[in-house]
Amino acid sequence: MKKLIASTLAAAAIGFTGIASAETWSPTGTVSLENFGGLINVRQTVSLDCSLSGSAALNGDSAQVSNLTLTGNLFLCGLVRFNEQPYNLEATGPGTVALQNVRVDALSASCFGDLEGTFDQATGIITFMNASIPSDPVGGPSCFINGRVSTTAAASYTFP
């Protein structure tokens, strides 16, 4: 009897875990990403105001962001690079998302980790407010991003 109860609880836990992470993205296909309503501010040891562009491939149950680039501020924005793309865009709550395992090579050091922001379902705009990516290796300055990124066509997701 104890084995039956343990097996039932384990199966239920696995089922709930699968349901909790099953967001649905729309529309399906590719949407473009660009800064919205101003420039994106990126900061590590130097603060830069840059234009951002990229794309996201939405296929219903997942979203992957690629082709992220920064331009502007003479040539300095182009020296900040997003490496090891694509990144999974994961819904972490009803109005929050995270780009997972983002690797940034900045002017003086590198950063690696998740980049979290808020997501406006009505407009498809992601807002980064002092969002940080930890230094890689640990011990250096973190990378910070501030600004709004629009998705065109406006992306949205359902969150269980």
Side-chain angles (χ1 to χ4, degrees):
M1 183 67 162
K2 289 182 183 178
K3 288 183 182 179
L4 177 61
I5 292 170
S7 296
T8 303
L9 290 174
I14 291 169
F16 287 128
T17 300
I19 291 170
S21 64
E23 77 259 18
T24 303
W25 290 90
S26 63
T28 57
T30 301
V31 298
S32 63
L33 304 172
E34 59 187 32
N35 49 292
F36 179 80
L39 298 173
I40 298 293
N41 178 263
V42 293
R43 174 175 39 90
Q44 189 185 41
T45 54
V46 174
S47 181
L48 300 173
D49 292 324
C50 306
S51 293
L52 178 137
S53 63
S55 61
L58 312 177
N59 72 1
D61 62 351
S62 69
Q64 286 202 321
V65 172
S66 59
N67 304 315
L68 285 179
T69 58
L70 295 171
T71 58
N73 205 339
L74 299 174
F75 66 92
L76 292 177
C77 290
L79 297 177
V80 179
R81 292 195 172 83
F82 293 92
N83 293 319
E84 299 176 16
Q85 298 181 56
Y87 308 125
N88 288 329
L89 180 61
E90 186 77 27
T92 55
T96 57
V97 293
L99 273 176
Q100 297 179 323
N101 299 317
V102 175
R103 178 165 303 283
V104 177
D105 287 332
L107 299 175
S108 60
S110 297
C111 297
F112 178 76
D114 293 350
L115 181 61
E116 298 177 356
T118 60
F119 190 89
D120 185 327
Q121 292 282 12
T123 61
I125 294 176
I126 303 168
T127 302
F128 298 107
M129 296 201 52
N130 224 21
S132 66
I133 305 171
S135 170
D136 184 39
V138 175
S142 295
C143 296
F144 294 91
I145 297 180
N146 289 287
R148 300 182 332 159
V149 177
S150 67
T151 59
T152 307
S156 65
Y157 63 87
T158 57
F159 189 79

